[in-house]
Amino acid sequence: MLACHARILLSATVRCGALANIVPEALETAFEVLKANEPGMQTARLHIIHETLVLACGVCKREFTPENGSPYAPCPFCGHEFFHDLRSGRELILEQLQVSEEQEE
Amino acid sequence: MEIEVGRSLLESNDRLAANLSANFARHGVLVLNLISSPGAGKTSLLEKTLIALAPSLRMAVIEGDLQTDNDARRVAASGAQAVQINTHGGCHLDSKLIMDVLPQFDLKKLDVLFIENVGNLVCPVEFNCGEDHKIALLSVTEGDDKPEKYPQLFNLASVLLLNKTDLLPHVDFDMNRAVRFATTVNRNLTVFPVCCRGKGKGLQPWYDWLIAQSAAKRAKAGV
């Protein structure tokens, strides 16, 4: 078991899906507000990885990323417009933290 | 030093939601999370439902609002237990808020628990409250483009109630368009056009759905 006694956060990486209901600018603003109240976060940076929308056609089952980012886009393979399944795009994941370590064991 | 985390930012809520869900499942309580814009008719739907199904189901309500207990008092007039949560500016309910008020309910004496979420088509969708189903409510006065603009709710809801159908002659609302976009992102969506004013209209299929869902939940729990 790795125990990290970090005191300083250097960066946080968050992965946001296109349909995660997240406004990146709002997330960045919230991060800045949080930083102001946390001594160990003063120089921390927020990295946002944007996850594109991936749909699977309800008819031909092939996966595609709509060019316009809309879940209502027709399937580019068979043209079908309805009932696509969402394969990815709703993620809101804290992927990585970069910290300066004071002690490790 | 880099620490790979790879965990959902909503994980703590999801964990509490799983605990709530297990508790509801043990007691055979069907839990429905009602989500809509402000003024779409969630409270009116509950008033009608609580009165109509009182002889068949034991029901209670958790009311979520930014301020006031107006809605809790409205639904409590039906005789059902109603507990108000004021979020004081928060735009949604989450599992922690539900967990905090749950001791006020006797789950052994309940068949259905409604969670009337804060009026908002966006944030309540992201926070699971341990419910069996999200129920979307859309009134015809809001416009038929809402499923297109807010696909997440319609993607995750089990039922869409299209409310205020008595106003259809007076508004430019294309029922086919709204249903088409809602079902495009959710092929399993069940749609009930209803009116909750006066004597109500079109509500029987909704009542039948509720009774069937509750019976299935109770049967699964063996209660």
Side-chain angles (χ1 to χ4, degrees):
Chain A
M1 186 72 176
L2 183 72
C4 175
H5 300 274
R7 291 290 180 271
I8 308 292
L9 179 68
L10 302 175
S11 72
T13 303
V14 175
R15 187 154 54 92
C16 289
L19 288 186
N21 282 333
I22 294 297
V23 180
E25 292 80 1
L27 192 59
E28 284 163 2
T29 301
F31 192 73
E32 291 302 315
V33 170
L34 188 64
K35 276 168 63 175
N37 297 311
E38 293 290 336
M41 290 180 65
Q42 295 298 313
T43 58
R45 300 186 63 179
L46 177 67
H47 301 295
I48 299 176
I49 301 170
H50 299 279
E51 195 70 37
T52 54
L53 183 64
V54 178
L55 302 173
C57 176
V59 174
C60 74
K61 310 296 181 193
R62 294 172 78 173
E63 291 190 0
F64 64 97
T65 295
E67 280 182 22
N68 61 2
S70 167
Y72 298 107
C75 171
F77 302 106
C78 72
H80 197 77
E81 290 184 26
F82 302 109
F83 307 137
H84 302 319
D85 292 319
L86 195 63
R87 287 284 188 261
S88 77
R90 296 199 72 249
E91 304 83 353
L92 181 57
I93 309 284
L94 177 61
E95 286 290 4
Q96 189 190 70
L97 294 173
Q98 195 174 13
V99 299
S100 73
E101 56 205 286
E102 284 195 351
Q103 188 182 337
E104 224 181 306
E105 60 191 43
Chain B
M1 178 187 186
E2 289 176 356
I3 303 170
E4 300 301 328
V5 183
R7 288 162 68 172
S8 170
L9 286 174
L10 297 175
E11 185 180 286
S12 61
N13 184 70
D14 290 341
R15 198 164 42 236
L16 289 178
N19 290 342
L20 284 170
S21 179
N23 195 11
F24 296 140
R26 222 173 12 255
H27 291 92
V29 178
L30 177 72
V31 181
L32 304 174
N33 190 350
L34 266 60
I35 301 175
S36 80
S37 308
K42 294 186 296 298
T43 311
S44 298
L45 174 76
L46 285 177
E47 286 175 313
K48 282 274 177 293
T49 305
L50 293 169
I51 290 170
L53 296 185
S56 322
L57 297 173
R58 299 168 298 175
M59 297 169 285
V61 180
I62 294 174
E63 279 286 348
D65 280 298
L66 269 66
Q67 303 287 348
T68 82
D69 63 349
N70 294 355
D71 287 356
R73 283 191 281 118
R74 275 177 63 186
V75 298
S78 70
Q81 184 186 4
V83 173
Q84 182 77 52
I85 297 175
N86 280 140
T87 59
H88 303 293
C91 56
H92 59 271
L93 297 178
D94 61 24
S95 286
K96 173 69 169 59
L97 291 169
I98 302 299
M99 211 158 242
D100 288 346
V101 299
L102 206 59
Q104 297 181 50
F105 296 93
D106 184 352
L107 295 183
K108 293 189 194 74
K109 295 180 179 172
L110 267 189
D111 297 316
V112 181
L113 176 62
F114 294 99
I115 298 171
E116 183 180 340
N117 220 307
V118 178
N120 179 342
L121 285 179
V122 184
C123 308
V125 181
E126 300 299 328
F127 292 85
N128 195 329
C129 293
E131 69 268 14
D132 295 284
H133 302 282
K134 295 187 199 313
I135 308 294
L137 209 75
L138 176 66
S139 60
V140 301
T141 51
E142 294 170 67
D144 51 27
D145 61 344
K146 291 302 167 289
E148 193 179 357
K149 283 185 171 175
Y150 302 91
Q152 289 92 326
L153 170 60
F154 303 95
N155 175 244
L156 295 175
S158 303
V159 169
L160 166 61
L161 289 138
L162 284 166
N163 193 24
K164 306 188 187 180
T165 50
D166 55 326
L167 296 177
L168 274 173
H170 309 290
V171 293
D172 294 324
F173 185 92
D174 183 339
M175 186 78 83
N176 290 333
R177 183 179 185 219
V179 172
R180 179 182 163 220
F181 276 110
T183 53
T184 293
V185 288
N186 183 354
R187 76 185 73 182
N188 299 315
L189 189 68
T190 300
V191 182
F192 299 128
V194 298
C195 166
C196 297
R197 281 188 75 202
K199 292 180 179 175
K201 201 173 173 187
L203 287 160
Q204 193 57 50
W206 158 245
Y207 297 154
D208 294 341
W209 183 89
L210 268 177
I211 290 168
Q213 291 291 324
S214 172
K217 187 79 188 269
R218 289 173 56 79
K220 204 170 176 184
V223 295

